[in-house]
Amino acid sequence: MARFFIEGGKRLSGEVNVSGAKNSALPIIAAALLTDKKVTLKNVPDVFDVRTMIELVTHLGARVDFKRNTLSIHTPKVKRLEAPYDIVTRMRASYYVLGALIAREKRASVAMPGGCAIGPRPIDLHIKGFTALGTKISITEGYINADARNLRGQNVDLQGPKGTSVGATINVMLAASRARGKTVISPAAAEPEVVDVANFLRALGVEISGQGSHEITVVGCDSFHSGVNYKIIPDRIEAGTFATVAAITRSRIVVKRAVSEHMTSVLEKLREIGLVIREAEDGIIVDGRGRRKATDIFVAPYPGFPTDMQAQFMALLSTIPGTSTIKESIFENRFMQAVELMRMGANITIEGDTAVIKGVKKLSGTQLMASDLRASSALVLAGLAAKGTTVVRRIYHLDRGYEKFEVKLRRLGASIRRGK
Ligand code: EPZ
C-alpha cells in the first residue's frame, strides 16, 4: 500500500497549477448520460474518483475516452439500469447516475451508498426530491429502485436537518432535466460545483436558471444539442489546500488557475491569520512569510467556510501561536485528523463539534495514518512543516481527489516521495 515520505521544514516557492474540480466533474460525467449525443469535457482531473465514475458510466453503456484531462463520453443507448454495489461502495457520488437514469430511462436501480469516515451520509433528501417529481422509490436488498414513468416537474423542498444538500440539489436537477414541465428546487445549494453542473445542463440545452442562488428552476426537455464541449471549473478546494501549504510552510506560492471568487471565505481567513494574498494574472499569489496569528473558524455551507478545508486549517492552526477554534457544523465525524496531528505534538482538544487548538512551536515528524480525503491532505501539510521525517500511510484516500499531489509539491521544492 503506497505511502508518502516527507522531510519537513523546507521553504517552498514557485507556481502550481490547480486541476479541474472533482466535485463538478463527477456529477457532470453522470449528467452526460442524459443525452444520446457525444459530449466532450475539458479540464477533467485525473483522480481515482473520476476513474471510478468512468467505470460506472461505461458499465451502463457509455463509450468513454479519457486522455490528458479531456474526456469524451457518448451513450447512444443505455445498456444497463443498475449501479452495482462494488462500484457504489467505492464512491458515494455514484448516486448521481440515479438522477440521470431517472431522467433518461425513467427507471434505475442503484446500490445504497454506505456512510463513510466523516459521517453517516444519508440520502433522504435525494429520495424526497425524486419522490416529489413523481418517482416511485422502493428499497430492496440494499438497492434503491426508481420507477419514474410519471416523472413531471414540481416544486421540490430540500430543507434538511443541516440545511440543504449539494448532492441532492444536483441529483434533482438531473432528474428534472427530462421531466415534463417546470421544477423549482428550494432551498437549493449554491456551491460553485452546483453552478458548474447547471451551466453544463444549459450547454446541453436544458432551460435552467437561478443557479448560485438558493432557488433553481429547471424546465425539462427531450432533445439536446450535439457537439457539446464543456470545460470544468478549477478545483477551489485544491486551490485552498495549496494556499494553506504556503501558510504552513511560511512560503510564497503562485496558485495558478485559482478562482478567488470561489474561495472568498478561505482567503479572508488566511488574510486574518496574516497572509498577504494578491490577485495574479491567472490565479492568486499567496505569501505566508510574515507573522501569523490564531483565529476562529465556523464551517458553513457556501459561501461560508467550506467543510472540505477544515482539516487543512486544523493542521495550519496547530503551528500558529495562540488559541484557535474550529466549529464543524456539516459532518458529524470530520475531526479524525486531530488524533494523528496530536501524535506529531499538536495540542488539540475536541469538545463536540468544536476543536480547540493551541499552537505549538514545532510539530515533529512521525508515522501517520490517513483516514479520509481531506484529512490525508492535512497530514501531508503537517509533515511539510514538521521537524524530521513524516510517513503518511493509506494515501489512496488522497489519490481520490488530488491529481499528482506529491509531484506538484515537489515542483514547489518540497521533499516528498511516494513509496511502499
Ligand atoms: C458534497 O457532499 C461534496 N462531495 C463533499 O465533498 C462536501 O463536503 C459536501 O458536499 C458539503 O459541501 C461531492 O460533491 C462528491 P451534502 P454531499 O449532501 O453532497 C446531510 C470531498 O471531500 N444530508 O451537501 O454528500 C449530510 O449528512 C467531499 O470532496 C442529509 O441529511 O454533501 C451533511 O450533514 C467530502 N440528507 C449535510 O447534509 C441527504 O439526503 C451536507 O451534505 C443528503 C445530505
Side-chain angles (χ1 to χ4, degrees):
M1 217 184 276
R3 54 188 78 173
F4 281 153
F5 296 84
I6 303 163
E7 291 308 319
K10 299 210 166 180
R11 282 288 171 98
L12 310 185
S13 65
E15 295 184 351
V16 63
N17 283 329
V18 170
S19 300
K22 161 183 87 83
N23 292 347
S24 281
L26 297 177
I28 288 175
I29 294 168
L33 290 170
L34 287 168
T35 172
D36 59 2
K37 299 192 173 83
K38 186 176 172 187
V39 164
T40 302
L41 302 175
K42 293 263 171 50
N43 200 31
V44 177
D46 191 354
V47 295
F48 274 16
D49 277 1
V50 164
R51 294 281 170 173
T52 303
M53 186 57 91
I54 289 170
E55 183 186 339
L56 176 52
V57 296
T58 305
H59 169 82
L60 299 173
R63 295 172 201 154
V64 179
D65 181 57
F66 184 38
K67 268 198 282 304
R68 287 189 300 286
N69 301 109
T70 295
L71 189 149
S72 73
I73 173 167
H74 187 201
T75 318
K77 208 173 147 10
V78 171
K79 294 211 179 79
R80 295 187 184 88
L81 293 170
E82 185 197 301
Y85 178 72
D86 77 301
I87 296 182
V88 176
T89 42
R90 267 184 273 150
M91 184 187 63
R92 167 185 165 75
S94 307
Y95 57 35
Y96 286 131
V97 300
L98 198 46
L101 290 174
I102 281 173
R104 176 152 181 196
E105 298 297 322
K106 310 298 184 275
R107 282 177 307 136
S109 180
V110 172
M112 285 283 278
C116 71
I118 60 177
R121 313 292 297 274
I123 59 163
D124 57 312
L125 293 176
H126 298 243
I127 291 174
K128 180 181 175 187
F130 295 142
T131 307
L133 297 179
T135 309
K136 286 198 191 61
I137 298 274
S138 64
I139 297 181
T140 47
E141 292 155 31
Y143 276 74
I144 306 162
N145 309 298
D147 171 356
R149 279 169 287 187
N150 300 325
L151 191 70
R152 70 198 180 296
Q154 266 299 347
N155 292 340
V156 178
D157 169 11
L158 286 185
Q159 183 61 39
K162 304 267 178 113
T164 187
S165 153
V166 168
T169 299
I170 290 174
N171 235 340
V172 173
M173 277 199 307
L174 300 187
S177 298
R178 296 191 68 164
R180 278 192 323 280
K182 182 168 92 169
T183 295
V184 179
I185 304 167
S186 160
E191 274 68 1
E193 295 77 25
V194 175
V195 175
D196 210 19
V197 176
N199 290 342
F200 170 70
L201 293 173
R202 192 158 54 180
L204 279 185
V206 179
E207 201 186 312
I208 195 160
S209 59
Q211 56 270 39
S213 79
H214 293 298
E215 181 169 293
I216 296 176
T217 301
V218 184
V219 177
C221 70
D222 257 335
S223 64
F224 295 101
H225 297 154
S226 30
V228 171
N229 191 322
Y230 189 80
K231 186 174 182 186
I232 306 283
I233 58 170
D235 193 312
R236 63 190 168 99
I237 304 300
E238 186 192 11
T241 303
F242 277 104
T244 313
V245 166
I248 203 167
T249 59
R250 328 273 313 244
S251 308
R252 178 183 179 279
I253 291 176
V254 182
V255 184
K256 290 184 74 68
R257 301 180 191 158
V259 178
S260 50
E261 300 79 64
H262 290 169
M263 44 194 301
T264 41
S265 54
V266 172
L267 299 183
E268 264 159 32
K269 274 297 163 188
L270 288 172
R271 286 192 174 104
E272 202 179 293
I273 288 171
L275 274 82
V276 175
I277 298 174
R278 284 185 297 114
E279 297 283 334
E281 195 201 313
D282 164 26
I284 51 174
I285 302 169
V286 183
D287 192 340
R289 294 174 294 184
R291 278 176 56 76
R292 304 167 312 163
K293 65 183 176 58
T295 187
D296 297 313
I297 305 280
F298 300 93
V299 161
Y302 192 84
F305 189 92
T307 172
D308 292 351
M309 282 300 304
Q310 178 262 109
Q312 299 89 315
F313 265 65
M314 186 181 282
L316 169 61
L317 295 170
S318 299
T319 67
I320 294 178
T323 300
S324 301
T325 62
I326 297 180
K327 186 174 171 46
E328 165 62 64
S329 63
I330 305 267
F331 290 112
E332 295 74 8
N333 183 28
R334 206 169 193 180
F335 286 148
M336 268 152 326
Q337 65 282 350
V339 279
E340 294 301 299
L341 294 171
M342 289 185 235
R343 298 182 57 249
M344 301 177 83
N347 179 343
I348 304 169
T349 44
I350 307 290
E351 293 153 10
D353 63 1
T354 301
V356 179
I357 302 142
K358 287 188 174 38
V360 295
K361 265 205 177 351
K362 210 66 174 137
L363 296 173
S364 19
T366 182
Q367 302 268 349
L368 301 174
M369 190 82 83
S371 52
D372 63 85
L373 169 56
R374 305 303 173 185
S376 38
S377 70
L379 300 185
V380 174
L381 266 59
L384 292 173
K387 191 168 52 335
T389 305
T390 298
V391 180
V392 183
R393 297 161 186 259
R394 297 189 181 170
I395 52 169
Y396 59 84
H397 288 293
L398 189 131
D399 290 333
R400 294 188 51 180
Y402 288 96
E403 183 177 24
K404 300 194 181 81
F405 195 54
E406 80 277 15
V407 174
K408 293 183 181 183
L409 284 169
R410 262 207 306 278
R411 280 210 194 109
L412 292 170
S415 166
I416 177 171
R417 67 179 176 81
R418 182 183 290 257
K420 287 270 178 259

